[in-house]
Amino acid sequence: MSIGTTETVEINGNRLNVEVLGDAPGKPTMIVHHGAPGLGSMAEPRASFGPFADDYRVVVFDARGSGASEGREPFTHEQWAADVDGLRQWIGAERIVMAGGSYGGFIAMEYAIRYPERVAALVLRDTAADNANQELALRNALASARVEIDRVKLDRIMSGTVRDDADLRDCWAEILPLYDHDLDWEKVRQRVADTPYRYATHNFAFAVNQPNYDIKALLPGISCPTLVIVGRHDWITPVECSETIAGLIPGARLVVFEHSGHSPQTEEAERFQRVVREFLAGVPVLPS
């Protein structure tokens, strides 16, 4: 295992692109799951949680079917959670801090539900506990005064019916201007160019997983310390989604970032890091 370099690791019969940030000896382990299956990659968690490598071994990776990782089916929440546990075993940690944003938050919560004895703390960002956010997101997108969204493209990407990688790119470019509190067109263009497109993974996540996604009844069983972060102006997983999560997980702490959309980890980066550090400082995490 190399520290601070990207490597390919076989987890549950699928090769994952993995990077470990931070020196290993004596540090507790944090595993961070990116969002947007088929669109996301380790790039976002590396940037957002890399600063925590001073105190943690931070494991970031491209999930099965995303980024540079192999794409062996299934692309289910159960499989993605099992892959997280495979990474935990690979790095040799008994317990971890589990973090995830957006769709990665779905998997972080699923992991805490399926492997409760392995989670010392949970950090969630701009996520949801059921598929109700789909209707809210549709309403917010169509009501936006920022851009006029092509309803056909919006429906394809939200329903997981994009035709190929090029179509996924086109639909992604259509909705990206909605994400940040302050619109920066150059940033939008750069993100479209930098995104790794894996349409089959995206389609499965949104056509198969999302329609049946509802873990609200299971959240009261999460017993680890939990931090829930959300941007006030998040269009796709609005504040009410995080309020639901924080209300169901016993003792969860909710922090709303007033000047952020879907990405307070970048839009208010200094405060994000401070809030997460303060939360983790109060968590008894066993060294790995």
Coordinates of all heavy atoms in Angstrom, one line a residue, residues 13-105:
G13 N -13.8 -8.3 -6.2 CA -13.8 -8.7 -7.6 C -13.8 -7.5 -8.6 O -14.0 -7.8 -9.8
N14 N -13.6 -6.3 -8.2 CA -13.7 -5.1 -9.0 C -12.5 -4.2 -8.7 O -12.2 -3.9 -7.6 CB -15.0 -4.4 -8.8 CG -15.2 -3.3 -9.8 OD1 -15.7 -3.5 -10.9 ND2 -14.8 -2.1 -9.4
R15 N -11.8 -3.8 -9.8 CA -10.6 -3.0 -9.5 C -11.0 -1.5 -9.3 O -11.7 -0.9 -10.1 CB -9.6 -3.0 -10.7 CG -9.0 -4.4 -10.9 CD -7.9 -4.4 -12.0 NE -8.5 -4.0 -13.3 CZ -9.1 -4.8 -14.2 NH1 -9.2 -6.1 -13.9 NH2 -9.5 -4.4 -15.3
L16 N -10.6 -1.0 -8.1 CA -10.9 0.4 -7.8 C -9.7 1.3 -7.8 O -8.6 0.9 -7.4 CB -11.5 0.4 -6.3 CG -12.8 -0.3 -6.1 CD1 -13.2 -0.1 -4.6 CD2 -13.9 0.2 -7.0
N17 N -9.9 2.5 -8.3 CA -8.8 3.5 -8.3 C -8.9 4.2 -6.9 O -9.8 4.8 -6.5 CB -9.1 4.5 -9.4 CG -8.0 5.5 -9.6 OD1 -6.8 5.1 -9.6 ND2 -8.3 6.7 -9.9
V18 N -7.8 4.1 -6.1 CA -7.7 4.5 -4.7 C -6.5 5.3 -4.4 O -5.5 5.2 -5.0 CB -7.7 3.2 -3.8 CG1 -7.7 3.6 -2.3 CG2 -8.9 2.3 -4.1
E19 N -6.7 6.3 -3.5 CA -5.6 7.1 -3.0 C -5.8 7.2 -1.5 O -6.9 7.5 -1.0 CB -5.6 8.4 -3.7 CG -4.4 9.3 -3.3 CD -4.2 10.6 -4.1 OE1 -5.0 10.7 -5.1 OE2 -3.4 11.4 -3.7
V20 N -4.6 7.1 -0.8 CA -4.6 7.2 0.7 C -3.8 8.5 1.0 O -2.6 8.6 0.6 CB -4.0 6.0 1.4 CG1 -4.0 6.2 2.9 CG2 -4.8 4.7 1.0
L21 N -4.4 9.4 1.7 CA -3.7 10.7 2.0 C -3.4 10.7 3.5 O -4.3 10.4 4.3 CB -4.7 11.9 1.7 CG -5.2 11.9 0.2 CD1 -6.3 12.9 0.1 CD2 -4.1 12.2 -0.8
G22 N -2.2 11.0 3.8 CA -1.8 11.1 5.2 C -0.9 9.9 5.6 O -1.1 8.8 5.1
D23 N 0.0 10.1 6.5 CA 0.9 9.0 7.0 C 0.0 8.0 7.8 O -0.9 8.4 8.5 CB 2.0 9.6 7.9 CG 2.9 10.6 7.1 OD1 3.1 10.4 5.9 OD2 3.4 11.5 7.8
A24 N 0.4 6.8 7.7 CA -0.4 5.7 8.3 C -0.3 5.5 9.8 O -1.2 5.3 10.4 CB -0.1 4.4 7.5
P25 N 1.0 5.5 10.3 CA 1.1 5.1 11.7 C 0.3 5.8 12.7 O 0.4 7.0 12.8 CB 2.6 5.2 12.0 CG 3.2 5.2 10.6 CD 2.3 5.8 9.7
G26 N -0.6 5.1 13.5 CA -1.2 5.7 14.6 C -2.4 6.6 14.3 O -3.1 7.0 15.3
K27 N -2.7 6.8 13.1 CA -3.8 7.7 12.7 C -5.1 7.0 12.5 O -5.1 5.9 11.9 CB -3.5 8.5 11.5 CG -2.4 9.6 11.7 CD -2.3 10.4 10.4 CE -1.3 11.5 10.6 NZ -1.1 12.4 9.4
P28 N -6.2 7.5 13.0 CA -7.5 6.9 12.6 C -7.8 7.1 11.1 O -7.2 7.9 10.4 CB -8.5 7.7 13.5 CG -7.9 9.0 13.7 CD -6.4 8.7 13.8
T29 N -8.7 6.3 10.6 CA -9.0 6.3 9.2 C -10.3 6.9 8.8 O -11.3 6.7 9.5 CB -9.0 4.8 8.7 OG1 -7.7 4.3 8.9 CG2 -9.3 4.7 7.2
M30 N -10.3 7.7 7.8 CA -11.6 8.3 7.2 C -11.7 7.8 5.8 O -10.8 7.9 5.0 CB -11.5 9.8 7.3 CG -12.6 10.6 6.7 SD -12.3 12.4 6.5 CE -12.2 12.8 8.2
I31 N -12.9 7.3 5.5 CA -13.2 6.9 4.1 C -14.3 7.9 3.6 O -15.3 8.1 4.2 CB -13.6 5.5 4.0 CG1 -12.5 4.5 4.4 CG2 -14.0 5.1 2.5 CD1 -12.9 3.0 4.3
V32 N -14.0 8.5 2.4 CA -14.9 9.5 1.9 C -15.5 9.0 0.5 O -14.7 8.6 -0.4 CB -14.2 10.8 1.7 CG1 -15.2 11.9 1.3 CG2 -13.4 11.2 2.9
H33 N -16.8 9.0 0.4 CA -17.4 8.5 -0.8 C -17.9 9.7 -1.7 O -18.7 10.6 -1.2 CB -18.6 7.6 -0.5 CG -19.0 6.6 -1.5 ND1 -19.5 7.0 -2.8 CD2 -18.9 5.3 -1.6 CE1 -19.7 6.0 -3.5 NE2 -19.4 4.9 -2.8
H34 N -17.5 9.8 -2.9 CA -17.9 10.9 -3.8 C -19.4 10.7 -4.2 O -20.0 9.6 -4.0 CB -17.1 10.9 -5.0 CG -17.1 9.7 -5.9 ND1 -18.2 9.5 -6.8 CD2 -16.3 8.7 -6.1 CE1 -18.0 8.4 -7.5 NE2 -16.9 7.9 -7.1
G35 N -20.0 11.7 -4.7 CA -21.4 11.7 -5.2 C -21.4 11.3 -6.7 O -20.5 10.9 -7.3
A36 N -22.6 11.5 -7.2 CA -22.9 11.4 -8.7 C -22.3 10.2 -9.3 O -21.4 10.3 -10.1 CB -22.4 12.7 -9.4
P37 N -22.8 9.0 -9.0 CA -22.3 7.8 -9.7 C -22.4 7.9 -11.2 O -23.4 8.4 -11.7 CB -23.2 6.7 -9.2 CG -24.4 7.3 -8.6 CD -24.0 8.7 -8.2
G38 N -21.3 7.6 -11.9 CA -21.2 7.7 -13.3 C -20.7 9.1 -13.7 O -20.4 9.3 -14.9
L39 N -20.6 10.0 -12.8 CA -20.2 11.4 -13.0 C -19.1 11.8 -12.1 O -18.2 12.6 -12.4 CB -21.3 12.4 -13.0 CG -22.4 12.4 -14.1 CD1 -23.6 13.1 -13.6 CD2 -21.8 13.0 -15.3
G40 N -19.2 11.3 -10.8 CA -18.3 11.7 -9.8 C -17.0 10.9 -9.8 O -16.8 9.9 -10.5
S41 N -16.0 11.4 -9.0 CA -14.7 10.7 -8.9 C -14.1 11.1 -7.6 O -14.7 12.0 -6.8 CB -13.8 11.1 -10.1 OG -13.3 12.4 -9.9
M42 N -12.9 10.6 -7.3 CA -12.2 10.9 -6.1 C -11.7 12.4 -6.0 O -11.3 12.9 -5.0 CB -11.0 10.0 -5.9 CG -9.9 10.2 -6.9 SD -8.3 9.5 -6.4 CE -8.7 7.7 -6.5
A43 N -11.8 13.1 -7.2 CA -11.3 14.4 -7.2 C -11.9 15.3 -6.2 O -11.2 16.1 -5.5 CB -11.4 15.0 -8.6
E44 N -13.2 15.3 -6.0 CA -13.9 16.1 -5.1 C -13.6 15.8 -3.6 O -13.2 16.7 -2.9 CB -15.4 16.1 -5.3 CG -16.2 17.0 -4.4 CD -16.6 16.4 -3.1 OE1 -17.0 15.2 -3.1 OE2 -16.4 17.0 -2.0
P45 N -13.7 14.5 -3.2 CA -13.3 14.2 -1.8 C -11.8 14.5 -1.5 O -11.4 14.8 -0.4 CB -13.6 12.7 -1.7 CG -14.3 12.3 -2.9 CD -14.3 13.4 -3.9
R46 N -10.9 14.3 -2.5 CA -9.5 14.6 -2.3 C -9.3 16.1 -2.0 O -8.6 16.4 -1.1 CB -8.7 14.2 -3.6 CG -7.2 14.5 -3.4 CD -6.5 14.6 -4.7 NE -6.4 13.3 -5.4 CZ -6.9 13.1 -6.7 NH1 -7.5 14.1 -7.3 NH2 -6.7 12.0 -7.3
A47 N -10.0 16.9 -2.7 CA -9.9 18.4 -2.5 C -10.5 18.8 -1.2 O -10.0 19.6 -0.4 CB -10.5 19.1 -3.7
S48 N -11.7 18.2 -0.9 CA -12.5 18.6 0.3 C -11.9 18.0 1.6 O -12.0 18.7 2.6 CB -13.9 18.2 0.1 OG -14.5 18.7 -1.1
F49 N -11.5 16.8 1.6 CA -11.1 16.1 2.8 C -9.6 15.9 2.9 O -9.1 15.4 3.9 CB -11.8 14.8 3.0 CG -13.2 15.0 3.4 CD1 -14.2 15.1 2.4 CD2 -13.6 15.0 4.7 CE1 -15.6 15.3 2.8 CE2 -14.9 15.2 5.1 CZ -15.9 15.4 4.2
G50 N -8.8 16.2 1.8 CA -7.4 16.1 1.8 C -6.7 16.9 3.0 O -5.8 16.4 3.6
P51 N -7.3 18.1 3.3 CA -6.7 18.8 4.5 C -6.8 18.1 5.8 O -6.0 18.4 6.7 CB -7.6 20.1 4.5 CG -8.0 20.3 3.1 CD -8.3 18.9 2.6
F52 N -7.6 17.1 5.9 CA -7.7 16.3 7.1 C -6.7 15.2 7.3 O -6.6 14.5 8.3 CB -9.1 15.7 7.3 CG -10.2 16.7 7.4 CD1 -10.9 17.2 6.3 CD2 -10.6 17.2 8.6 CE1 -11.9 18.2 6.4 CE2 -11.6 18.1 8.7 CZ -12.2 18.6 7.6
A53 N -5.8 15.1 6.2 CA -4.7 14.1 6.3 C -3.7 14.4 7.3 O -2.8 13.6 7.6 CB -4.1 14.0 4.9
D54 N -3.7 15.6 7.9 CA -2.8 15.9 9.0 C -3.2 15.0 10.3 O -2.3 14.6 11.0 CB -2.8 17.4 9.4 CG -4.2 17.9 9.7 OD1 -5.2 17.2 9.5 OD2 -4.2 19.1 10.1
D55 N -4.4 14.7 10.4 CA -4.9 14.0 11.6 C -5.4 12.6 11.3 O -5.6 11.7 12.2 CB -6.0 14.7 12.4 CG -5.4 16.0 13.0 OD1 -4.3 16.0 13.5 OD2 -6.1 17.0 13.0
Y56 N -5.7 12.3 10.0 CA -6.4 11.1 9.6 C -5.7 10.4 8.4 O -5.0 11.2 7.6 CB -7.8 11.3 9.2 CG -8.7 11.7 10.4 CD1 -8.8 13.0 10.8 CD2 -9.5 10.7 11.1 CE1 -9.6 13.4 11.9 CE2 -10.2 11.1 12.1 CZ -10.3 12.4 12.5 OH -11.1 12.8 13.6
R57 N -5.8 9.1 8.3 CA -5.6 8.5 7.0 C -6.9 8.7 6.2 O -7.9 8.1 6.6 CB -5.3 7.0 7.1 CG -3.9 6.7 7.8 CD -3.6 5.2 7.7 NE -4.6 4.4 8.4 CZ -4.6 3.1 8.5 NH1 -3.7 2.4 7.8 NH2 -5.5 2.4 9.2
V58 N -6.8 9.5 5.2 CA -8.0 9.8 4.4 C -8.0 8.9 3.1 O -7.1 9.1 2.3 CB -8.1 11.3 4.0 CG1 -9.3 11.6 3.2 CG2 -8.0 12.1 5.3
V59 N -9.0 8.0 3.0 CA -9.1 7.2 1.8 C -10.1 7.7 0.9 O -11.3 7.9 1.2 CB -9.5 5.7 2.2 CG1 -9.6 4.8 1.0 CG2 -8.5 5.2 3.2
V60 N -9.7 8.1 -0.3 CA -10.6 8.5 -1.4 C -10.4 7.6 -2.6 O -9.4 7.0 -2.8 CB -10.3 10.0 -1.8 CG1 -10.5 10.9 -0.7 CG2 -8.9 10.1 -2.3
F61 N -11.5 7.4 -3.3 CA -11.5 6.4 -4.4 C -12.6 6.7 -5.4 O -13.6 7.4 -5.1 CB -11.7 5.0 -3.8 CG -13.0 4.8 -3.1 CD1 -14.0 4.0 -3.8 CD2 -13.3 5.4 -1.9 CE1 -15.2 3.8 -3.2 CE2 -14.6 5.2 -1.3 CZ -15.5 4.4 -1.9
D62 N -12.4 6.2 -6.6 CA -13.5 6.2 -7.6 C -14.3 4.9 -7.3 O -13.8 3.8 -7.4 CB -12.9 6.1 -9.0 CG -12.1 7.3 -9.4 OD1 -12.3 8.4 -8.8 OD2 -11.2 7.2 -10.3
A63 N -15.6 5.1 -7.1 CA -16.5 4.0 -6.8 C -16.6 3.1 -8.0 O -16.4 3.5 -9.1 CB -17.9 4.5 -6.3
R64 N -17.0 1.9 -7.7 CA -17.3 0.9 -8.8 C -18.2 1.6 -9.9 O -19.3 2.1 -9.6 CB -18.1 -0.3 -8.2 CG -18.5 -1.3 -9.1 CD -19.3 -2.4 -8.4 NE -18.6 -3.0 -7.4 CZ -18.1 -4.3 -7.4 NH1 -18.4 -5.1 -8.5 NH2 -17.4 -4.8 -6.4
G65 N -17.6 1.6 -11.1 CA -18.4 2.1 -12.2 C -18.2 3.6 -12.4 O -18.9 4.2 -13.3
S66 N -17.4 4.3 -11.7 CA -17.2 5.7 -11.8 C -15.7 6.0 -11.9 O -14.8 5.2 -11.6 CB -17.7 6.4 -10.5 OG -19.1 6.3 -10.4
G67 N -15.4 7.2 -12.5 CA -14.0 7.6 -12.6 C -13.2 6.6 -13.4 O -13.5 6.2 -14.5
A68 N -12.0 6.3 -12.8 CA -11.1 5.3 -13.5 C -11.2 3.9 -12.9 O -10.4 3.1 -13.3 CB -9.6 5.8 -13.3
S69 N -12.2 3.6 -12.1 CA -12.4 2.3 -11.6 C -13.1 1.4 -12.6 O -13.9 1.9 -13.4 CB -13.2 2.4 -10.2 OG -12.4 2.9 -9.2
E70 N -12.9 0.1 -12.4 CA -13.6 -0.9 -13.2 C -15.1 -0.8 -12.9 O -15.6 -0.4 -11.8 CB -13.1 -2.3 -12.9 CG -13.5 -3.4 -13.8 CD -12.8 -4.7 -13.5 OE1 -12.2 -4.8 -12.4 OE2 -12.9 -5.6 -14.3
G71 N -15.9 -1.2 -13.9 CA -17.3 -1.1 -13.8 C -18.1 -2.4 -13.9 O -19.0 -2.6 -14.7
R72 N -17.7 -3.4 -13.0 CA -18.5 -4.6 -12.9 C -19.8 -4.4 -12.2 O -19.7 -3.9 -11.0 CB -17.6 -5.7 -12.3 CG -16.4 -6.2 -13.1 CD -15.7 -7.3 -12.4 NE -14.5 -7.7 -13.2 CZ -14.5 -8.6 -14.1 NH1 -15.7 -9.2 -14.4 NH2 -13.4 -9.0 -14.8
E73 N -20.9 -4.8 -12.8 CA -22.1 -4.7 -12.0 C -22.2 -5.7 -10.9 O -21.4 -6.7 -10.9 CB -23.3 -5.0 -13.0 CG -23.4 -4.0 -14.1 CD -24.5 -4.2 -15.1 OE1 -25.3 -5.2 -14.9 OE2 -24.7 -3.4 -16.0
P74 N -23.0 -5.5 -9.9 CA -24.1 -4.5 -9.9 C -23.7 -3.2 -9.3 O -22.7 -3.1 -8.6 CB -25.1 -5.2 -8.9 CG -24.3 -5.9 -7.9 CD -23.1 -6.4 -8.7
F75 N -24.4 -2.2 -9.6 CA -24.2 -0.8 -9.1 C -25.3 -0.5 -8.1 O -26.0 0.6 -8.1 CB -24.3 0.2 -10.3 CG -23.3 -0.1 -11.4 CD1 -23.7 0.0 -12.7 CD2 -22.0 -0.4 -11.1 CE1 -22.8 -0.3 -13.7 CE2 -21.1 -0.6 -12.1 CZ -21.5 -0.6 -13.4
T76 N -25.4 -1.4 -7.1 CA -26.5 -1.2 -6.1 C -25.9 -0.6 -4.9 O -24.6 -0.6 -4.7 CB -27.0 -2.6 -5.7 OG1 -25.9 -3.4 -5.2 CG2 -27.6 -3.3 -6.9
H77 N -26.7 0.0 -4.0 CA -26.3 0.5 -2.8 C -25.6 -0.5 -1.9 O -24.6 -0.3 -1.2 CB -27.4 1.2 -2.0 CG -28.0 2.4 -2.7 ND1 -28.9 3.2 -2.1 CD2 -27.7 3.0 -3.9 CE1 -29.2 4.2 -2.9 NE2 -28.5 4.1 -4.0
E78 N -26.2 -1.7 -1.9 CA -25.6 -2.8 -1.1 C -24.2 -3.1 -1.6 O -23.3 -3.3 -0.7 CB -26.4 -4.1 -1.3 CG -25.9 -5.3 -0.5 CD -26.8 -6.5 -0.7 OE1 -27.7 -6.5 -1.5 OE2 -26.5 -7.5 0.1
Q79 N -23.9 -3.1 -2.9 CA -22.6 -3.4 -3.4 C -21.6 -2.3 -3.1 O -20.5 -2.5 -2.7 CB -22.6 -3.7 -4.9 CG -21.3 -4.1 -5.5 CD -20.8 -5.4 -4.9 OE1 -21.4 -6.4 -5.2 NE2 -19.7 -5.3 -4.2
W80 N -22.1 -1.1 -3.3 CA -21.2 0.1 -3.0 C -20.8 0.1 -1.5 O -19.7 0.5 -1.2 CB -21.9 1.4 -3.5 CG -21.7 1.6 -5.0 CD1 -20.7 1.3 -5.8 CD2 -22.7 2.2 -5.8 NE1 -20.9 1.6 -7.1 CE2 -22.1 2.2 -7.2 CE3 -24.0 2.8 -5.6 CZ2 -22.8 2.8 -8.3 CZ3 -24.6 3.3 -6.7 CH2 -24.1 3.3 -8.0
A81 N -21.8 -0.2 -0.7 CA -21.5 -0.2 0.8 C -20.5 -1.3 1.1 O -19.5 -1.2 1.9 CB -22.7 -0.4 1.6
A82 N -20.7 -2.5 0.4 CA -19.7 -3.6 0.6 C -18.3 -3.3 0.1 O -17.3 -3.7 0.7 CB -20.3 -4.8 -0.1
D83 N -18.2 -2.5 -0.9 CA -16.9 -2.0 -1.4 C -16.2 -1.1 -0.4 O -15.0 -1.2 -0.2 CB -17.1 -1.3 -2.8 CG -17.5 -2.2 -3.9 OD1 -17.4 -3.5 -3.7 OD2 -17.9 -1.7 -5.0
V84 N -17.0 -0.3 0.3 CA -16.4 0.6 1.3 C -15.9 -0.3 2.4 O -14.7 -0.1 2.9 CB -17.5 1.5 1.9 CG1 -17.0 2.2 3.2 CG2 -17.9 2.6 0.9
D85 N -16.6 -1.4 2.8 CA -16.1 -2.2 3.8 C -14.9 -3.0 3.3 O -14.0 -3.3 4.1 CB -17.2 -3.2 4.3 CG -16.9 -3.8 5.7 OD1 -16.7 -2.9 6.6 OD2 -16.8 -5.0 5.9
G86 N -14.8 -3.3 2.1 CA -13.6 -4.0 1.5 C -12.4 -3.1 1.6 O -11.3 -3.5 1.9
L87 N -12.6 -1.8 1.4 CA -11.5 -0.8 1.5 C -11.1 -0.7 3.0 O -9.9 -0.6 3.3 CB -12.0 0.6 1.0 CG -12.0 0.7 -0.5 CD1 -12.7 2.0 -0.9 CD2 -10.6 0.6 -1.1
R88 N -12.1 -0.7 3.9 CA -11.7 -0.7 5.3 C -10.8 -1.9 5.7 O -9.8 -1.7 6.4 CB -13.0 -0.7 6.1 CG -12.8 -0.7 7.7 CD -14.0 -1.2 8.4 NE -14.4 -2.5 8.1 CZ -13.9 -3.6 8.6 NH1 -12.8 -3.6 9.3 NH2 -14.3 -4.8 8.2
Q89 N -11.2 -3.0 5.2 CA -10.4 -4.2 5.5 C -9.0 -4.1 4.8 O -8.0 -4.5 5.4 CB -11.1 -5.5 5.0 CG -12.4 -5.8 5.7 CD -13.2 -6.9 5.1 OE1 -12.6 -8.0 5.0 NE2 -14.4 -6.7 4.7
W90 N -9.0 -3.6 3.6 CA -7.7 -3.5 2.9 C -6.7 -2.6 3.6 O -5.6 -2.9 3.7 CB -8.0 -3.0 1.5 CG -6.8 -2.5 0.7 CD1 -5.8 -3.3 0.1 CD2 -6.4 -1.1 0.5 NE1 -4.9 -2.5 -0.4 CE2 -5.2 -1.2 -0.2 CE3 -7.0 0.1 0.8 CZ2 -4.5 0.0 -0.6 CZ3 -6.3 1.2 0.4 CH2 -5.1 1.2 -0.3
I91 N -7.2 -1.5 4.2 CA -6.3 -0.6 4.8 C -6.1 -1.0 6.3 O -5.2 -0.5 6.9 CB -6.9 0.9 4.8 CG1 -5.7 1.9 5.0 CG2 -8.0 1.1 5.7 CD1 -6.0 3.3 4.7
G92 N -6.8 -2.0 6.8 CA -6.6 -2.5 8.1 C -7.1 -1.7 9.2 O -6.6 -1.7 10.4
A93 N -8.3 -1.1 9.0 CA -8.9 -0.3 10.1 C -10.1 -1.0 10.7 O -10.9 -1.6 10.0 CB -9.4 1.0 9.5
E94 N -10.1 -1.0 12.0 CA -11.3 -1.7 12.7 C -12.5 -0.8 12.6 O -13.6 -1.3 12.4 CB -10.9 -1.9 14.2 CG -9.9 -3.1 14.4 CD -10.5 -4.4 13.9 OE1 -11.7 -4.7 14.2 OE2 -9.8 -5.2 13.2
R95 N -12.3 0.5 12.8 CA -13.5 1.4 12.7 C -13.0 2.7 11.9 O -11.8 3.0 11.9 CB -13.9 1.9 14.1 CG -14.4 0.7 15.0 CD -14.7 1.2 16.4 NE -15.9 1.9 16.5 CZ -16.2 2.9 17.3 NH1 -15.2 3.4 18.1 NH2 -17.4 3.5 17.3
I96 N -14.0 3.3 11.3 CA -13.6 4.5 10.5 C -14.6 5.6 10.7 O -15.7 5.5 11.3 CB -13.7 4.1 9.0 CG1 -15.2 3.7 8.6 CG2 -12.7 3.0 8.6 CD1 -15.4 3.5 7.1
V97 N -14.1 6.8 10.3 CA -15.0 7.9 10.1 C -15.5 7.8 8.6 O -14.7 7.7 7.7 CB -14.3 9.3 10.3 CG1 -15.3 10.4 9.9 CG2 -13.8 9.4 11.7
M98 N -16.8 7.7 8.5 CA -17.4 7.5 7.1 C -18.0 8.9 6.7 O -18.8 9.5 7.4 CB -18.5 6.5 7.2 CG -19.1 6.2 5.8 SD -18.0 5.3 4.7 CE -18.3 6.2 3.2
A99 N -17.6 9.3 5.5 CA -18.1 10.6 5.0 C -18.6 10.5 3.6 O -18.1 9.6 2.8 CB -17.0 11.7 5.1
G100 N -19.6 11.3 3.3 CA -20.1 11.2 1.9 C -21.0 12.4 1.6 O -21.7 12.9 2.5
G101 N -20.9 12.9 0.4 CA -21.8 14.0 0.0 C -22.7 13.6 -1.2 O -22.3 12.8 -2.0
S102 N -23.9 14.3 -1.2 CA -24.8 14.0 -2.3 C -25.2 12.5 -2.4 O -25.5 11.9 -1.3 CB -24.3 14.6 -3.6 OG -25.3 14.7 -4.6
Y103 N -25.0 11.9 -3.5 CA -25.3 10.5 -3.6 C -24.3 9.7 -2.7 O -24.7 8.6 -2.2 CB -25.2 10.0 -5.1 CG -26.0 8.8 -5.4 CD1 -27.1 8.8 -6.2 CD2 -25.6 7.5 -4.9 CE1 -27.8 7.7 -6.5 CE2 -26.3 6.4 -5.2 CZ -27.4 6.4 -6.0 OH -28.1 5.3 -6.3
G104 N -23.1 10.2 -2.6 CA -22.2 9.6 -1.6 C -22.7 9.5 -0.2 O -22.3 8.7 0.6
G105 N -23.6 10.5 0.1 CA -24.2 10.5 1.4 C -25.2 9.3 1.6 O -25.3 8.8 2.6

